[in-house]
Amino acid sequence: MIRAGIVGGTGYTGVELLRLLIPHPEVEVQVITSRAEAGERVDAHFPNLRGVCDLTYTAPDPQALTKLDVVFFATPHGVAMDSAPELLAQDVRVIDLGADFRLANPEVFAQWYGMAHRAPDVLREARYGLPEYYRETIAQSRLIANPGCYPTAVILGLAPLLEAGLLQQETLVADCKSGVSGAGRTGKVNLIVPEAADSVSAYGVSGHRHRPEIEAILAEISGNTIELQFTPHLMPMIRGIHATLYGRLRQPMSDTNLQAVFAERYAQEPFVDVMPFGSHPATRSVRGANVCRIAVHQPRPGQVVVLSVIDNLVKGAAGQAVQNMNRLFALPETAGLTQIALLP
Amino acid sequence: MIRAGIVGGTGYTGVELLRLLIPHPEVEVQVITSRAEAGERVDAHFPNLRGVCDLTYTAPDPQALTKLDVVFFATPHGVAMDSAPELLAQDVRVIDLGADFRLANPEVFAQWYGMAHRAPDVLREARYGLPEYYRETIAQSRLIANPGCYPTAVILGLAPLLEAGLLQQETLVADCKSGVSGAGRTGKVNLIVPEAADSVSAYGVSGHRHRPEIEAILAEISGNTIELQFTPHLMPMIRGIHATLYGRLRQPMSDTNLQAVFAERYAQEPFVDVMPFGSHPATRSVRGANVCRIAVHQPRPGQVVVLSVIDNLVKGAAGQAVQNMNRLFALPETAGLTQIALLP
Amino acid sequence: MIRAGIVGGTGYTGVELLRLLIPHPEVEVQVITSRAEAGERVDAHFPNLRGVCDLTYTAPDPQALTKLDVVFFATPHGVAMDSAPELLAQDVRVIDLGADFRLANPEVFAQWYGMAHRAPDVLREARYGLPEYYRETIAQSRLIANPGCYPTAVILGLAPLLEAGLLQQETLVADCKSGVSGAGRTGKVNLIVPEAADSVSAYGVSGHRHRPEIEAILAEISGNTIELQFTPHLMPMIRGIHATLYGRLRQPMSDTNLQAVFAERYAQEPFVDVMPFGSHPATRSVRGANVCRIAVHQPRPGQVVVLSVIDNLVKGAAGQAVQNMNRLFALPETAGLTQIALLP
Amino acid sequence: MIRAGIVGGTGYTGVELLRLLIPHPEVEVQVITSRAEAGERVDAHFPNLRGVCDLTYTAPDPQALTKLDVVFFATPHGVAMDSAPELLAQDVRVIDLGADFRLANPEVFAQWYGMAHRAPDVLREARYGLPEYYRETIAQSRLIANPGCYPTAVILGLAPLLEAGLLQQETLVADCKSGVSGAGRTGKVNLIVPEAADSVSAYGVSGHRHRPEIEAILAEISGNTIELQFTPHLMPMIRGIHATLYGRLRQPMSDTNLQAVFAERYAQEPFVDVMPFGSHPATRSVRGANVCRIAVHQPRPGQVVVLSVIDNLVKGAAGQAVQNMNRLFALPETAGLTQIALLP
């Protein structure tokens, strides 16, 4: 059994990790930390876990964590970078669901996250945890930067075309819609039902932290500089990301060939579902499941629209983290990740 | 492997049966029928099943069904009663998620459902599929009447007190709130988002078909006539039933003893969770899970309020049906039913 | 023109007062206070007011308020009681939308609100601002206790029957459902979309502050002691209260006569709509409007169910406050209150 | 008083016209038709109108309509074109909220709406009812094509830049999000709460009828051919459209100058609100109000993002129709249209 720990267990990615790891056949969660709730039972905060989880929150204690095989950080940026070096030194694998290791360049990190990177050495060792593009490097790594939720949806939707050099790079638009759980489990006025239900608005239009992450990874995959217009929107729903991706082809291409690019690229992927050409995936079709569904359109010759949906807490966070863990420990990649989406 | 069939596979209880039966270790769904969609793939209608379900709808064909071990009817009332006799004659077990066999008295059925009962003989053989109260009779039966969603929540909440003769029978109130999926997957104007979202209303206040069902079963369990004020409400949510149950004690009773009635009655039940006295269960704590969570209150001496929540599609329909199937085939009652509720 | 002020202008009742008072033909809002937002434009916080409101928040300043004709307190309990005596002394009318003056007995106030009442003298002068029952005393008063949202819905629904002595007093149940705006504009985790959308739960079952308010007023109206089972629930919607009220008749009564009790009692009321017997009012039918819609049912002889719906922010708060202001200044009671509910 | 009629009074635009016209100081609605509901009171279908509307639906009767001053068609396409010629001949003004007269070219109409245009003569006379761009032609017309909901939001957001020749025409993207009321008051399965709540999806990506309308009007305003990538999405909310509009500047331009283009263009417009540069308008800020709020961004030099929000039933339908009516009858354009948006 893999002994696992979760740092920051009172947020949505923390409880989602528990939902996935408790029934996982090869894992036992032994430690879950929360500074604020130390000493309290986890299921007192998350009653969906009553009867299946006997854990109690503990205060973060580096000593306790070093006895584990893997530690998940479900924390805001700035936390994992302070603990990862010691854990790695003790041969504990680290999977950071926060942003500390997503940007390979520490200066870019500093620019977007407003703080100097405090662990640039281990940053060099971190691998981007998008298995569909970095499967091999993940397996050989000890420190995984679990991708952001928007980047997961956008990269999976655009990479097949960019990888093949089919798109004009300067016309990319990613118009993204996210459920409110993407903002975290936090008592902000703008997230309460009377403010955020029955309304739609954009945010961060002038610049969002996920843009440099997307651009850097897509540049790496495609071998070219990428400039993306990226607009996130807050949706009146709980879970789900819908990315509407716009690009223009360099050369004319039939719908059939366009579809084939995606179908072939993801033919062996257990967690990417390429739908029939011209489909309209709904976020509810992935609710609770570790899957990205993708559909391709060509409304007019040369104009490509890719629709990509994920559950931001599963394929966009905790599910992908478990997928990465499976890679780290040479388990079948689908272990513990076969939940069917909850519809309706 | 148990060979299972689903009649009426385009509604919400049908697709929920698939979500539960596909990963069930002892079951293979071999037939799913739909008159309207015969010939179409199931996952074209329910994209959450893409990649895990290769079934195609077939037209209802009695012949095909008789080769199965069990048939689930996820149909409106009036369908199962016409097929059940033949299936039983061929030694196929029948679990009806509709209302055809819930009311033991065919005249009461006729009164509330507006049609004569066309299979009164097999009706006598039917057993009410609430395992917490009829576990043994279920195991010995061939025909299960799966309880209504409201009755499941109300009976599990009131029966421990009535069974013990603790409540005045003439003061019972069941104020029930249901998500819109309880109304079925049907294109009615009053169910569309602009009508049913962001609004609350009662319906059927003058009389609802689930009232005679609840009253009959509670009378059977308690040995007394029961008269219930039952008011269903439509909630602006997808899944979930919240039953708020009011009664008055015959004799004064401490909070501790009141709690003990529930704790003891359900101590061995895998799918009933008695929460700490004075809790407030939320429907989201059971979303997608086969569990009923119950909390007891005594706001003033002698006044009892029981809160009982279920997912109407799981413990209130498909999950309970699978639980009954497990009983029929002597499987562990929890087989295939260990999903953790999806929160948030 | 009536010069009006609003203390506590950043909450929902504050902004709702502005929505109603800005187009009011006889009122000019001259002052709106907020300690936290002093110096900021109101429409920067509430963009629905852009173009119609040039006000800027000021810090609370007793001096500025004494130059007004009326001051609305849209504040938590404990604020109005400290300012009201001085304002009344300066001949400024006070309408408190908080709870400071709703309970005539200062000891009951202390028991439920956890603080001694600091203005017991002016408390004696306060009048309960439910015009349908206290129209005359309101007109002669200087200090109005605007009713709570739940009490408005419950009292309007039960009082006609209790006033006429038709109900058994010991069997009253008020099962109430409220939209999330009833909890205020405050950043609490339990109110954010991922927690409070798509879920239903009860709260305060063991005792809620609105219960003593309802019981005291209904006792005053009926001349008898009243004991109510009162259960509030949080609904996944923004605005609206649905009160489902249960009682038992002392004597048999026809549906027609039952309906007549309500029809006659409210025949002249501009803001109470008695619907046809057996109707099911939806909260959306009063969204944004200063109206209470009521429907009566008698599911079984002797069992009465009254359904009463209001918009908690209008008839349950700001609209009723304006109605009271109209009474105080001898304006037509409907002045500024003719908005039609927004449906859908 | 202007005598008005509404053809097709059971849909959302019909009831919204009533909400706006009933309190309008210069209008009396005398006729409202519905084939299906003839003989029934309007307020039996729309209880928000109880107490303010005594109208009864009548069967469509050309004779009755010719006695009016203006007739609003709140009907699907294909209805108004059959009645308009006769009404115009009788000197009745016609405002069509459907699509019959929006596309000046009858062949384009036939292509997108699947039917030949049956009134090409009066089509020539029709004027596009977007007062911000066609104010004078509207005043001189007798037949108004009320714009589609998406076109209203998109054109108001893009036209100032295109009119001034500032954008590259071949890079325009309009990513649009609509509440479910935009799909009409119709019992379709895909619109019910369990399908359309808590989920987001695109639709009509390969081609939507509003695209040729937008392109034709923007071409007319700008004097250039326009090619737009237009993607509509269904949002889990009731009302509101959020258009996220992407373009690229021909020449570098400062944020200040960009903002000035909008501020100046709409300086005198009562129903277009240009927000401060870099704002994020929410659809709820226009709920129930006849206003379009617009905010401009320049995330990177040369990349322009315009956010434009309306209430699809008000500025996107009934409110704009009343605005057009005010123009036709030389009333102040804001008559009857001063409702403040309902927030929260």
Side-chain angles (χ1 to χ4, degrees), chain B residues 132-178:
Chain B
E132 289 77 8
Y133 288 89
Y134 297 96
R135 182 162 282 122
E136 296 316 314
T137 60
I138 291 167
Q140 295 152 21
S141 177
R142 303 185 305 160
L143 170 57
I144 301 297
N146 213 55
C149 50
Y150 286 126
T152 298
V154 173
I155 295 168
L156 290 176
L158 284 177
L161 296 170
L162 290 168
E163 207 174 26
L166 299 170
L167 290 186
Q168 301 171 32
Q169 283 141 247
E170 66 280 15
T171 59
L172 300 176
V173 172
D175 190 282
C176 293
K177 298 93 179 163
S178 173

Side-chain angles (χ1 to χ4, degrees), chain A residues 187-195, chain C residues 10-12 180-192:
Chain A
K188 292 184 184 157
V189 168
N190 68 314
L191 304 180
I192 68 175
V193 164
E195 304 282 314
Chain C
T10 58
Y12 290 136
V180 182
S181 65
R185 186 164 172 269
T186 170
K188 293 184 183 156
V189 168
N190 67 314
L191 305 180
I192 68 175

Side-chain angles (χ1 to χ4, degrees), chain A:
Chain A
M1 288 300 259
I2 299 167
R3 296 162 299 171
I6 299 171
V7 175
T10 58
Y12 290 136
T13 52
V15 64
E16 192 70 355
L17 278 169
L18 287 176
R19 184 177 73 90
L20 299 173
L21 291 175
I22 287 171
H24 193 294
E26 305 290 342
V27 179
E28 187 187 7
V29 180
Q30 296 191 339
V31 177
I32 182 162
T33 77
S34 164
R35 202 173 300 275
E37 312 297 348
E40 298 205 28
R41 283 181 64 89
V42 172
D43 63 4
H45 289 263
F46 298 108
N48 63 321
L49 299 176
R50 286 176 56 86
V52 297
C53 176
D54 268 325
L55 291 164
T56 295
Y57 290 116
T58 56
D61 168 12
Q63 205 59 28
L65 297 177
T66 56
K67 295 172 189 151
L68 303 169
D69 298 307
V70 61
V71 172
F72 296 87
F73 284 85
T75 46
H77 63 272
V79 175
M81 64 169 73
D82 288 340
S83 300
E86 167 74 3
L87 290 170
L88 295 176
Q90 302 286 333
D91 205 32
V92 181
R93 301 285 195 285
V94 171
I95 299 175
D96 180 22
L97 284 76
D100 288 4
F101 303 106
R102 291 177 190 161
L103 296 169
N105 183 334
E107 288 176 21
V108 177
F109 177 87
Q111 177 192 339
W112 284 91
Y113 289 88
M115 57 168 64
H117 204 290
R118 295 191 293 269
D121 288 343
V122 302
L123 174 57
R124 267 188 289 277
E125 194 183 332
R127 292 298 171 262
Y128 195 70
L130 191 67
E132 289 77 8
Y133 288 89
Y134 296 98
R135 183 163 281 122
E136 297 316 315
T137 60
I138 290 167
Q140 295 151 20
S141 178
R142 304 185 304 161
L143 169 57
I144 302 298
N146 212 57
C149 49
Y150 287 125
T152 298
V154 173
I155 295 167
L156 290 175
L158 284 177
L161 296 170
L162 290 168
E163 207 174 26
L166 298 171
L167 290 186
Q168 300 172 33
Q169 283 142 246
E170 66 279 16
T171 60
L172 300 175
V173 172
D175 190 282
C176 293
K177 297 91 178 163
S178 173
V180 182
S181 64
R185 187 164 172 268
T186 171
K188 292 184 184 157
V189 168
N190 68 314
L191 304 180
I192 68 175
V193 164
E195 304 282 314
D198 209 48
S199 188
V200 164
S201 59
Y203 65 98
V205 176
S206 60
H208 184 282
R209 289 160 171 177
H210 285 178
R211 195 181 75 197
E213 180 182 341
I214 299 169
E215 290 180 342
I217 299 297
L218 285 179
E220 195 170 272
I221 291 173
S222 70
N224 288 296
T225 305
I226 297 291
E227 193 180 283
L228 183 74
Q229 297 214 50
F230 171 62
T231 311
H233 298 76
L234 195 65
M235 295 289 105
M237 65 179 180
I238 298 176
R239 289 169 177 246
I241 284 181
H242 186 291
T244 312
L245 308 166
Y246 301 85
R248 283 168 194 262
L249 294 172
R250 287 184 190 285
Q251 308 285 345
M253 204 171 169
S254 72
D255 292 349
T256 307
N257 288 346
L258 196 52
Q259 175 75 359
V261 172
F262 285 84
E264 288 166 17
R265 179 58 182 82
Y266 293 129
Q268 305 306 319
E269 288 298 339
F271 297 125
V272 180
D273 172 26
V274 179
M275 300 180 74
F277 189 83
S279 297
H280 296 100
T283 58
R284 69 194 193 111
S285 76
V286 298
R287 187 191 288 134
N290 192 55
V291 62
C292 176
R293 298 198 202 278
I294 291 176
V296 191
H297 296 250
Q298 189 173 198
R300 278 167 166 157
Q303 296 182 350
V304 178
V305 179
V306 181
L307 310 177
S308 170
V309 302
I310 58 169
D311 183 325
N312 56 302
L313 297 180
V314 191
K315 185 62 179 165
Q320 188 143 268
V322 173
Q323 192 180 348
N324 283 316
M325 181 202 72
N326 289 341
R327 289 297 296 160
L328 288 183
F329 293 90
L331 301 173
E333 204 165 311
T334 58
L337 291 174
T338 54
Q339 295 81 4
I340 298 175
L342 195 70
L343 179 157

Side-chain angles (χ1 to χ4, degrees), chain C residues 288-299:
Chain C
N290 192 55
V291 62
C292 175
R293 298 198 204 277
I294 291 176
V296 192
H297 295 251
Q298 188 173 200

Side-chain angles (χ1 to χ4, degrees), chain C residues 32-119:
Chain C
I32 182 163
T33 77
S34 163
R35 202 175 300 275
E37 311 297 349
E40 298 205 29
R41 284 182 62 89
V42 172
D43 63 3
H45 289 263
F46 298 107
N48 62 322
L49 300 176
R50 286 177 56 86
V52 298
C53 175
D54 268 325
L55 291 163
T56 295
Y57 290 116
T58 57
D61 169 11
Q63 207 57 31
L65 297 177
T66 56
K67 295 173 188 150
L68 302 169
D69 298 307
V70 61
V71 172
F72 296 87
F73 284 85
T75 46
H77 64 272
V79 175
M81 65 168 72
D82 289 338
S83 299
E86 167 72 5
L87 290 170
L88 294 176
Q90 302 286 332
D91 205 31
V92 181
R93 301 285 194 285
V94 172
I95 299 175
D96 180 23
L97 284 78
D100 288 4
F101 304 106
R102 290 176 189 161
L103 296 168
N105 183 334
E107 289 175 23
V108 177
F109 177 86
Q111 176 191 340
W112 284 92
Y113 288 89
M115 57 167 64
H117 203 289
R118 295 190 294 268

Side-chain angles (χ1 to χ4, degrees), chain D residues 102-104 134 211-221 226:
Chain D
R102 290 176 190 161
L103 295 169
Y134 296 98
R211 194 181 76 196
E213 179 182 340
I214 299 168
E215 289 181 342
I217 300 296
L218 284 179
E220 194 171 272
I221 290 173
I226 297 291

Side-chain angles (χ1 to χ4, degrees), chain B residues 51-343:
Chain B
V52 297
C53 176
D54 268 325
L55 291 165
T56 296
Y57 290 115
T58 57
D61 169 9
Q63 207 57 30
L65 298 177
T66 55
K67 296 174 188 148
L68 303 170
D69 298 307
V70 62
V71 173
F72 295 88
F73 284 85
T75 46
H77 63 273
V79 175
M81 64 169 74
D82 288 339
S83 300
E86 167 73 3
L87 290 170
L88 294 176
Q90 301 287 332
D91 206 30
V92 181
R93 302 286 196 284
V94 172
I95 299 175
D96 180 22
L97 285 77
D100 288 3
F101 303 105
R102 290 177 190 160
L103 296 169
N105 184 334
E107 289 175 23
V108 177
F109 177 86
Q111 176 191 339
W112 284 92
Y113 288 89
M115 57 168 63
H117 204 288
R118 295 190 293 269
D121 288 342
V122 303
L123 175 56
R124 267 188 289 278
E125 195 184 331
R127 293 295 170 263
Y128 196 70
L130 190 67
E132 289 77 8
Y133 288 89
Y134 297 96
R135 182 162 282 122
E136 296 316 314
T137 60
I138 291 167
Q140 295 152 21
S141 177
R142 303 185 305 160
L143 170 57
I144 301 297
N146 213 55
C149 50
Y150 286 126
T152 298
V154 173
I155 295 168
L156 290 176
L158 284 177
L161 296 170
L162 290 168
E163 207 174 26
L166 299 170
L167 290 186
Q168 301 171 32
Q169 283 141 247
E170 66 280 15
T171 59
L172 300 176
V173 172
D175 190 282
C176 293
K177 298 93 179 163
S178 173
V180 182
S181 65
R185 187 163 172 269
T186 172
K188 293 186 184 154
V189 168
N190 67 313
L191 305 180
I192 67 175
V193 164
E195 304 282 314
D198 209 48
S199 188
V200 164
S201 59
Y203 66 98
V205 176
S206 60
H208 184 282
R209 290 162 171 175
H210 283 177
R211 195 182 74 197
E213 179 182 340
I214 299 168
E215 289 181 342
I217 299 298
L218 285 179
E220 194 170 273
I221 291 173
S222 69
N224 287 295
T225 305
I226 296 290
E227 194 181 284
L228 184 74
Q229 298 213 49
F230 170 63
T231 310
H233 298 76
L234 195 66
M235 297 289 104
M237 65 178 181
I238 297 176
R239 289 169 177 245
I241 284 182
H242 186 292
T244 312
L245 308 166
Y246 300 85
R248 282 169 195 263
L249 294 173
R250 287 184 190 284
Q251 307 286 345
M253 204 171 167
S254 72
D255 291 350
T256 307
N257 288 347
L258 196 52
Q259 174 76 0
V261 171
F262 285 85
E264 288 166 16
R265 179 61 183 81
Y266 293 129
Q268 305 304 321
E269 289 298 339
F271 297 125
V272 180
D273 172 26
V274 178
M275 300 180 73
F277 189 84
S279 295
H280 297 99
T283 59
R284 70 193 193 110
S285 76
V286 299
R287 188 191 288 135
N290 192 54
V291 63
C292 175
R293 297 198 203 277
I294 291 177
V296 192
H297 295 251
Q298 188 172 198
R300 276 167 167 157
Q303 295 182 349
V304 177
V305 179
V306 181
L307 311 176
S308 169
V309 301
I310 59 169
D311 183 324
N312 55 303
L313 296 179
V314 191
K315 184 62 179 165
Q320 188 142 268
V322 174
Q323 192 179 348
N324 283 316
M325 182 203 70
N326 288 342
R327 289 296 297 160
L328 289 183
F329 293 90
L331 301 173
E333 204 165 311
T334 57
L337 291 173
T338 54
Q339 295 81 5
I340 299 175
L342 195 70
L343 180 158

